[in-house]
Amino acid sequence: QSSPDGISWTDESWVNASGNGDDDGLVSTPIVNNLGSVTYIAWVLEGNHYNFDIWYVDNVSFTGVQNESTLSLSLLLEGLYNGSNSMRKAQGGSGDQFPGEVADKITIELHNAADYSVISHSFADIDLSTSGTVNVTLPASVNGSYYITVKHRNSLETTSSAPVSFTGSDVIWLFDHPSKAYGNNLLLTSDGYYVIYGGDVDQSGLIDTGDMTPVDNDASAFSTGYLTNDCDGNGSVDTADMTIIDNNSSAFAGAILP
């Protein structure tokens, strides 16, 4: 049996104008809090069909219910940075790689606060807007404190300066100042904004000759398209990509992790 919401309860206590009881049934997601009780749209099984009513439900054991929250990030990538706190859209072989205002895709990992090597949750192919904003809907299982780590196809892995609590509320984290990144690992741009270091094309955690070699090879072959070796995301591997790597290699830029 299932209700329109398909969420079941067991061993509930309920009251409404017609009385009270203790039985199995089906209930929707909550619609309002009511002085410690929760008001639900409920379907109660009577005979072989469900009747609709509004019920005040207490002491309920639910299955299928998730209390979702949202993680909102703000970050800028050096390779795509276009000045004035915004980014260009990554280019593919025939223009914009992604529709709308999506600049590129990133992966967000939530690492265990006590042991960074443990990835508790991971969210791949997340849209990063040209304004640097990211929004991810989190399941109820995300409940605790985690380091927030951002990964991008040719940028340095960058993580939050400290574990962030995800208990009971939406989370906002801005990678807008070195104090927000572990090890202060952000790059200051010429116009005063902070960005995540670009040029780690082999994702080794270091920007060095290991990144320069494949970029040099692709540049010599006049490679075009949505390529990992295209550090500035303009759709072509060339000397501009080498410059990003050369500058950051000279500065010994690398991932700094807990």
Side-chain angles (χ1 to χ4, degrees):
Q1 303 286 354
S2 64
S3 73
D5 288 275
I7 302 171
S8 62
W9 80 66
T10 59
D11 194 25
E12 82 290 350
S13 300
W14 46 262
V15 295
N16 81 338
S18 62
N20 58 69
D22 186 10
D23 202 352
D24 293 346
L26 294 158
V27 66
S28 77
T29 52
I31 55 174
V32 67
N33 289 329
N34 183 49
L35 299 177
S37 300
V38 182
T39 304
Y40 294 84
I41 301 174
W43 288 262
V44 177
L45 184 62
E46 296 182 1
N48 60 0
H49 65 279
Y50 286 96
N51 283 343
F52 168 82
D53 207 339
I54 301 295
W55 298 82
Y56 300 103
V57 184
D58 283 313
N59 304 316
V60 184
S61 174
F62 290 103
T63 59
V65 177
Q66 285 190 329
N67 297 315
E68 295 179 339
S69 59
T70 300
L71 169 62
S72 298
L73 300 180
S74 178
L75 61 103
L76 298 167
L77 303 175
E78 178 190 7
L80 295 178
Y81 188 63
N82 201 34
S84 301
N85 201 32
S86 66
M87 291 181 290
R88 299 181 299 277
K89 292 170 60 64
Q91 298 298 293
S94 58
D96 295 345
Q97 179 68 18
F98 303 106
E101 296 302 314
V102 177
D104 210 341
K105 299 280 188 173
I106 62 172
T107 294
I108 298 170
E109 295 175 347
L110 302 182
H111 288 243
N112 184 282
D115 184 355
Y116 185 80
S117 67
V118 176
I119 302 173
S120 301
H121 304 274
S122 183
F123 308 92
D125 295 320
I126 302 300
D127 291 346
L128 172 64
S129 76
T130 53
S131 64
T133 58
V134 179
N135 291 291
V136 183
T137 299
L138 306 174
S141 57
V142 178
N143 187 6
S145 292
Y146 309 94
Y147 284 101
I148 303 171
T149 294
V150 174
K151 291 184 175 181
H152 173 253
R153 60 194 175 109
N154 51 34
S155 299
L156 278 182
E157 177 179 350
T158 303
T159 196
S160 58
S161 55
V164 179
S165 175
F166 284 75
T167 303
S169 63
D170 294 338
V171 174
I172 299 173
W173 192 263
L174 312 179
F175 287 96
D176 60 350
H177 189 271
S179 63
K180 299 295 186 67
Y182 197 85
N184 299 316
N185 205 25
L186 294 176
L187 174 66
L188 179 63
T189 66
S190 59
D191 64 344
Y193 293 93
Y194 288 94
V195 297
I196 290 176
Y197 284 93
D200 187 16
V201 300
D202 65 0
Q203 293 293 280
S204 68
L206 292 173
I207 301 175
D208 54 19
T209 55
D211 303 297
M212 182 63 80
T213 299
V215 172
D216 187 36
N217 290 340
D218 269 2
S220 298
F222 302 100
S223 299
T224 60
Y226 182 69
L227 304 173
T228 299
N229 294 333
D230 179 20
C231 297
D232 66 359
N234 69 350
S236 176
V237 182
D238 51 28
T239 56
D241 306 304
M242 296 181 196
T243 299
I244 292 174
I245 294 172
D246 189 47
N247 289 342
N248 291 336
S249 176
S250 297
F252 302 101
I256 304 176
L257 306 174

